[in-house]
Amino acid sequence: MEWSLERVREMVAGGMQSVRECESSAVGTAFCLLLLFVWYCYRVGREHSAPPLRGGYSADPGRGGGPGSALISPEVGGRGKGRQSAGVEEQNGFAYCHSPECFRCIHAGEGLNQRLYHSLQDYAKRYTWAGMGRVHKGVRDQGRYLSSRPSIQKPEVFFLPDLPSAPFFSREAQKHDVELLERSFPALLAEFESVYHHPPARAGSSLPPGWKANSTPHGQWWTFYLVNQGTPLALNARRCPRAWRVLGQLRTFIANNVFGNACFSVLSPGALITEHYGPTNVRLRCHLGLRVPSGCELVVGGEPQCWSEGSCLLFDDSFLHTAFHEGSPEDGPRVVFMVDLWHPNVAAAERQALDYIFTPGR
């Protein structure tokens, strides 16, 4: 092609004419896109404001299916019950508590499913339904899920469907937090020694300040809580500043809902904690061994594991589990530092919604 000034002028003029011819088409296209955007916003707004939990929910609080059914608190839930006594009843061979302090107990028979339903609705109106598929499904069908679970895994308050489950999890599941806890082993052990060997709180008491005795069929089991069911214990936290600082550095600690706990847990020689289930499958319970004599074992879902000093065990306490110390009195107590971490497959949006739904005191 031969280039010249006249040829360039002709090409520019042709381009200008093409732009003028396409101008009306471009305006029409932009207008159509704007209409599509407005229509999309309208549809999304209607979906988010409409009640999504169609099909109702199970309000049966009974043992067979209601999530408000009260089971014995897990080992570090602060209220494990072993022998039948005041506030405890035996059902199917397992011990169930009715403590006025326990989230599961005070909500039993009070339409927990209804409150979950309305709390989730309120959360979605304030924020979004995006990413709420499993939470919505779990709340809607909670009674059915809990009543149909196999006896080996039976969370008593809330079951989130479609979560991978196993009695024990690899340390890789929460690698950052596990490594942080293990690096903090010397500091945590030192603070345990400080609060454990403190003189009793009052005359006639065998326990130092801040410690709680839990019922067991054999031996003694004590807990010292920094966070109990999502509520910080300020006095205990002040006495363990390094442990409190570690909790603040954990990325997956459940700090804002009733499923979150952190404590020192002590089993005396000869102690046995009755088999029981935890309240939910959305968490992993982490035990950092501080003092582990021989003869101590944790059994989850029929699988036995032994603690190790300075190492973490991750397990799903919604599986039937028990712990015992068969050592001699000379061996001393078994001591672990326990924290509740999010299950690695619970997404960030689901964690935020569950924090809202299960806020302490809601």
Side-chain angles (χ1 to χ4, degrees):
M1 178 183 296
E2 183 178 347
W3 290 93
S4 66
L5 184 57
E6 291 299 324
R7 179 62 178 167
V8 172
R9 287 175 179 171
E10 290 175 5
M11 292 178 65
V12 171
M16 295 287 290
Q17 182 63 30
S18 298
V19 169
R20 282 193 291 269
E21 290 175 355
C22 294
E23 185 175 357
S24 59
S25 176
V27 171
T29 301
F31 183 70
C32 290
L33 290 174
L34 179 61
L35 286 178
L36 285 172
F37 177 73
V38 172
W39 174 81
Y40 171 78
C41 292
Y42 169 75
R43 287 294 302 272
V44 170
R46 285 199 60 183
E47 289 174 2
H48 285 186
S49 61
L53 300 178
R54 299 181 181 88
Y57 49 82
S58 169
D60 178 17
R63 173 71 182 90
S69 305
L71 185 68
I72 170 179
S73 293
E75 175 177 351
V76 283
R79 274 165 291 282
K81 308 292 181 183
R83 58 176 177 266
Q84 187 169 349
S85 59
V88 179
E89 67 179 70
E90 290 285 340
Q91 296 186 20
N92 300 326
F94 303 110
Y96 293 77
C97 76
H98 299 288
S99 166
E101 301 175 359
C102 179
F103 169 79
R104 285 170 284 181
C105 295
I106 63 176
H107 287 76
E110 296 180 8
L112 177 60
N113 284 14
Q114 282 188 330
R115 288 193 298 281
L116 295 182
Y117 171 90
H118 293 302
S119 293
L120 183 58
Q121 290 273 42
D122 186 45
Y123 172 84
K125 289 177 182 178
R126 289 171 178 259
Y127 302 102
T128 179
W129 278 106
M132 291 298 102
R134 287 194 302 189
V135 178
H136 168 204
K137 184 179 177 183
V139 170
R140 182 189 62 197
D141 299 326
Q142 198 61 205
R144 178 171 62 85
Y145 284 132
L146 296 182
S147 63
S148 64
R149 295 300 304 164
S151 60
I152 197 69
Q153 184 193 26
K154 210 174 185 69
E156 288 297 317
V157 174
F158 181 75
F159 177 79
L160 186 66
D162 306 322
L163 271 186
S165 62
F168 289 95
F169 278 70
S170 164
R171 57 188 289 114
E172 299 299 317
Q174 297 295 5
K175 184 177 180 180
H176 173 274
D177 288 353
V178 165
E179 291 180 348
L180 174 60
L181 286 165
E182 291 178 348
R183 288 196 304 270
S184 305
F185 166 71
L188 294 172
L189 178 59
E191 289 199 329
F192 160 74
E193 298 284 0
S194 173
V195 297
Y196 186 66
H197 294 293
H198 196 281
R202 59 186 181 278
S205 173
S206 61
L207 289 175
W211 285 89
K212 175 181 175 59
N214 305 280
S215 295
T216 55
H218 306 290
Q220 302 295 322
W221 169 29
W222 303 287
T223 46
F224 183 91
Y225 278 92
L226 302 179
V227 178
N228 187 4
Q229 296 187 358
T231 301
L233 275 66
L235 293 178
N236 287 0
R238 289 194 193 103
R239 298 177 58 198
C240 299
R242 286 176 289 181
W244 187 256
R245 192 178 307 118
V246 169
L247 292 179
Q249 295 171 345
L250 297 175
R251 293 177 180 173
T252 61
F253 175 53
I254 303 178
N256 300 312
N257 71 53
V258 296
F259 299 136
N261 302 274
C263 73
F264 294 107
S265 175
V266 176
L267 278 184
S268 70
L272 167 67
I273 298 176
T274 306
E275 289 184 316
H276 58 278
Y277 306 94
T280 182
N281 66 328
V282 303
R283 74 185 186 189
L284 296 184
R285 182 144 285 183
C286 179
H287 282 184
L288 171 66
L290 298 181
R291 281 188 184 175
V292 185
S294 60
C296 298
E297 198 165 79
L298 172 68
V299 182
V300 183
E303 297 183 18
Q305 290 279 355
C306 295
W307 296 277
S308 178
E309 292 182 1
S311 298
C312 289
L313 272 181
L314 283 176
F315 63 100
D316 182 344
D317 74 326
S318 65
F319 282 80
L320 188 66
H321 62 285
T322 182
F324 54 84
H325 182 352
E326 294 182 335
S328 64
E330 294 77 19
D331 293 330
R334 181 237 59 177
V335 183
V336 299
F337 182 66
M338 188 287 300
V339 293
D340 287 324
L341 308 176
W342 285 106
H343 189 293
N345 293 92
V346 178
E350 294 173 322
R351 296 178 187 182
Q352 180 176 318
L354 292 171
D355 279 345
Y356 184 90
I357 295 170
F358 291 103
T359 298
R362 175 173 289 278

